[in-house]
Amino acid sequence: MKNKKKKYTQRVVIKVGTNVMTNKDNRIVRPVLIKLVAQIAQLYENDIMCVLVSSGSVIAGMEVLGKSHIKNKSQRRQVYSSIGQPRMMRLYYNIFHDFGMKCAQVLATKRDFNLGVHRENMINCYEGLISEGVIPIANEDDAVSLTKSMFSDNDELASLVAELINADKLIILTDIDGLYSGHPDDKDSRVIQNVSVEQNVEKYIQDSEKGEAEGRGGMSSKLSVAKDTASKNIPTFIANGKTENIILDIIEGKNVGTKVSI
């Protein structure tokens, strides 16, 4: 597959969480990333451009460095992420290359999305990459992103990117099938397939769903981000990234995951 200049019928931002790409031993699973990229490649062939917002750099850094002796949590996260980001990009670069595609990393802090020169520079970067058929991979610049310049999680980053590039959809991939009407393990619980931005469904979120492996980005965050993004006329989907062809199914309009819209 050759990268080519063309017009796209859709722009889709896909956020993949840490729990999607790791196993029970908290290690990156390459076959999961391959399946993810395979779907992005198929969409690209159908004139749908994807922007990927990927977690995993902290876990990848842990795999390389092992146990850290740094006691400060923020500094430890910076170190792990700084080590892990090149490893994650190498993984993605090689996988995209196997599909005949190119990818690029776009690092940002929260302040880069404020109105001004930084925001314009990011828009120019994304538009340039998209025009060349290169898949942007957005990441938080953890090495310099602390306190006020830090995103609450990658869900927030994905939402801001979706707004920045005027995306048609935002897909948030996690390790459960969507927002449930009760505890996900309860046999009587069902996935709530459609949620409006005005609908009060926060009561369904269970305590066990409120955090992920990296300590940020639980279901509360996902629903809040989804509603905020949908209010900007960008339909947002929360779905299980480990489900076969989940991205393709969402794009095809199948009833999978939870759709949040106006």
Side-chain angles (χ1 to χ4, degrees):
M1 185 190 303
K2 293 184 178 179
N3 291 327
K4 50 194 175 184
K5 294 183 180 179
K6 60 180 180 178
K7 292 184 178 180
Y8 303 99
T9 59
Q10 289 188 58
R11 293 181 174 193
V12 180
V13 175
I14 301 167
K15 183 263 179 176
V16 54
T18 303
N19 288 350
V20 174
M21 63 177 67
T22 55
N23 59 20
K24 62 181 181 179
D25 297 319
N26 223 20
R27 299 186 69 84
I28 305 293
V29 181
R30 193 173 189 273
V32 172
L33 301 183
I34 293 173
K35 290 182 179 180
L36 173 71
V37 173
Q39 293 176 81
I40 292 173
Q42 186 170 331
L43 292 176
Y44 180 81
E45 281 298 286
N46 290 313
D47 299 330
I48 298 174
M49 168 56 75
C50 296
V51 173
L52 183 60
V53 179
S54 177
S55 300
S57 61
V58 173
I59 298 298
M62 290 178 181
E63 290 183 6
V64 174
L65 185 62
K67 184 176 176 60
S68 171
H69 298 93
I70 299 172
K71 293 183 178 180
N72 182 278
K73 184 178 180 180
S74 296
Q75 185 183 30
R76 188 169 65 245
R77 181 182 176 83
Q78 284 178 300
V79 169
Y80 278 138
S81 181
S82 296
I83 294 170
Q85 279 188 358
R87 182 164 184 265
M88 288 301 301
M89 283 308 300
R90 185 167 62 249
L91 273 170
Y92 279 122
Y93 176 88
N94 290 334
I95 296 169
F96 273 107
H97 182 269
D98 289 342
F99 283 92
M101 301 182 70
K102 294 182 174 68
C103 64
Q105 186 178 46
V106 183
L107 294 173
T109 63
K110 193 170 183 177
R111 59 182 171 227
D112 292 323
F113 288 90
N114 296 333
L115 292 177
V117 175
H118 289 292
R119 182 182 179 87
E120 292 303 317
N121 285 340
M122 276 209 302
I123 291 173
N124 289 338
C125 180
Y126 276 108
E127 293 300 330
L129 291 170
I130 289 171
S131 72
E132 292 292 342
V134 178
I135 304 298
I137 300 178
N139 292 113
E140 180 172 10
D141 193 353
D142 287 293
V144 298
S145 181
L146 287 173
T147 59
K148 292 182 180 179
S149 65
M150 189 176 184
F151 300 103
S152 59
D153 48 53
N154 275 341
D155 301 322
E156 182 185 20
L157 171 58
S159 175
L160 290 169
V161 171
E163 183 182 2
L164 187 81
I165 68 166
N166 296 313
D168 297 281
K169 292 180 179 68
L170 168 61
I171 299 174
I172 299 174
L173 297 180
T174 183
D175 61 343
I176 60 174
D177 294 335
L179 176 65
Y180 279 82
S181 59
H183 194 283
D185 293 335
D186 188 337
K187 63 181 179 61
D188 294 323
S189 294
R190 297 290 181 267
V191 172
I192 304 172
Q193 293 185 330
N194 292 285
V195 173
S196 73
V197 294
E198 302 296 335
Q199 192 174 352
N200 180 17
V201 291
E202 283 76 7
K203 61 185 178 182
Y204 295 119
I205 298 173
Q206 306 295 310
D207 289 340
S208 60
E209 299 177 84
K210 293 182 179 178
E212 285 198 354
E214 291 183 30
R216 301 193 295 171
M219 183 55 72
S220 294
S221 165
K222 287 171 176 48
L223 183 58
S224 175
V225 164
K227 283 189 171 184
D228 182 63
T229 310
S231 70
K232 299 177 175 68
N233 204 29
I234 304 173
T236 301
F237 300 80
I238 302 171
N240 194 331
K242 294 185 177 182
T243 300
E244 199 77 17
N245 293 322
I246 186 65
I247 299 171
L248 300 179
D249 286 347
I250 290 172
I251 299 300
E252 290 172 9
K254 295 182 180 179
N255 289 325
V256 291
T258 296
K259 178 182 179 181
V260 184
S261 57
I262 294 175

